[in-house]
Amino acid sequence: MSGVFYGVGVGPGDPELLTVKAIKAIEAADVIIAPKTEKKEGSVALTIASPYLKPDVEILTQVFPMVSDTEILTEAWASNKQTILTLLAAGKKVVFLTLGDPMFYSTYIYVFRLLGDSGYPIETIPGITAFCAIGSKLGYPLVEGNNILSIIPATIEQDKLDKALALSDNVVLMKVYKNYQDVVAKLKRHQLADNAVMISRCGLPGEEVVHELHTAGDKKINYLSTILARRI
């Protein structure tokens, strides 16, 4: 029997925000893959999915390095791909967990492409993104009417960030942990700071909401942090 590969979005943090389809896939899995970088201990995605794991499921941690060294990346990806293919050849149901949605800034996208010509069936199960969860949690409409919503990684080139902020009525800023103070300054410059809010670790232990962005000061911003901002 042929194995099946599932990419499952586990949402932003609250285990109750998983879809019924995601839960069914996790409960039926023979192998759960929990991706991580070499810098992190444990897997947030695995913690979120833990209420739905069957007792005898095999849990496999795969490291996906966040480095620019092509040789290291190629070796790691090739090794991870071969491990997955071996499991699928054995007829296993393999679930690859990912925070949020699998097709949104996710490591899963690269795995999906790597396995695209493998001949094994692949099913991608969507998940709730952090910014959607934040909007609902805080009663913060993301976009209305004919307004423009831009989803922006704060790590892009500064001129591109300025252009995106200038054109947008509402913004979702991802990856703000690297240059938080610069991001806040740009939001002020584009009249987007007064109606902005940041939430870190949405739905997870240690969740923090910051309505006045300047009050964060110079403290280290959590990796799982997102800013919502609007002009009105």
Side-chain angles (χ1 to χ4, degrees):
M1 182 176 66
S2 173
V4 182
F5 186 75
Y6 298 87
V8 176
V10 298
D14 184 348
E16 293 186 356
L17 290 181
L18 271 74
T19 65
V20 173
K21 193 166 189 176
I23 292 171
K24 286 182 177 179
I26 292 169
E27 289 177 336
D30 299 307
V31 180
I32 297 285
I33 294 179
K36 58 176 288 188
T37 69
E38 67 274 38
K39 294 181 181 179
K40 292 183 180 180
E41 294 296 330
S43 164
V44 177
L46 182 61
T47 300
I48 296 169
S50 61
Y52 311 110
L53 302 178
K54 62 185 180 183
D56 61 342
V57 69
E58 179 184 351
I59 297 174
L60 177 63
T61 299
Q62 286 194 331
V63 175
F64 294 86
M66 294 179 68
V67 296
S68 56
D69 189 310
T70 303
E71 185 176 344
I72 293 175
L73 286 173
T74 300
E75 183 178 344
W77 285 105
S79 175
N80 289 338
K81 177 183 178 181
Q82 188 53 54
T83 298
I84 294 170
L85 290 177
T86 299
L87 293 169
L88 294 174
K92 304 287 187 180
K93 294 178 181 177
V94 181
V95 166
F96 187 99
L97 300 177
T98 180
L99 287 172
D101 181 85
M103 292 297 186
F104 186 82
Y105 289 126
S106 170
T107 300
Y108 170 77
I109 295 171
Y110 305 102
V111 178
F112 175 79
R113 288 174 176 156
L114 279 174
L115 299 176
D117 60 355
S118 67
Y120 293 101
I122 298 174
E123 183 173 351
T124 305
I125 300 175
I128 295 174
T129 58
F131 65 89
C132 286
I134 293 168
S136 295
K137 185 179 184 70
L138 300 181
Y140 189 109
L142 294 172
V143 67
E144 305 175 65
N146 292 322
N147 286 351
I148 297 172
L149 172 67
S150 297
I151 301 171
I152 309 167
T155 50
I156 62 173
E157 296 86 348
Q158 294 299 296
D159 61 330
K160 289 180 68 175
L161 180 56
D162 274 314
K163 289 176 182 178
L165 293 177
L167 290 171
S168 304
D169 303 296
N170 304 60
V171 298
V172 173
L173 279 162
M174 317 288 295
K175 307 177 183 179
V176 300
Y177 67 99
K178 282 191 173 181
N179 55 343
Y180 178 77
Q181 295 299 334
D182 291 337
V183 169
V184 173
K186 286 190 179 295
L187 288 173
K188 289 180 179 178
R189 189 177 308 145
H190 292 279
Q191 292 78 52
L192 287 162
D194 290 343
N195 292 302
V197 61
M198 179 178 72
I199 188 165
S200 302
R201 296 182 61 81
C202 180
L204 293 165
E207 176 184 286
E208 182 180 9
V209 180
V210 178
H211 289 281
E212 302 291 337
L213 299 187
H214 65 275
T215 62
D218 294 325
K219 77 173 186 177
K220 185 176 181 180
I221 304 301
N222 188 273
Y223 174 77
L224 298 175
S225 298
T226 301
I227 292 176
L228 304 185
R230 60 177 176 233
R231 207 173 295 282
I232 299 173

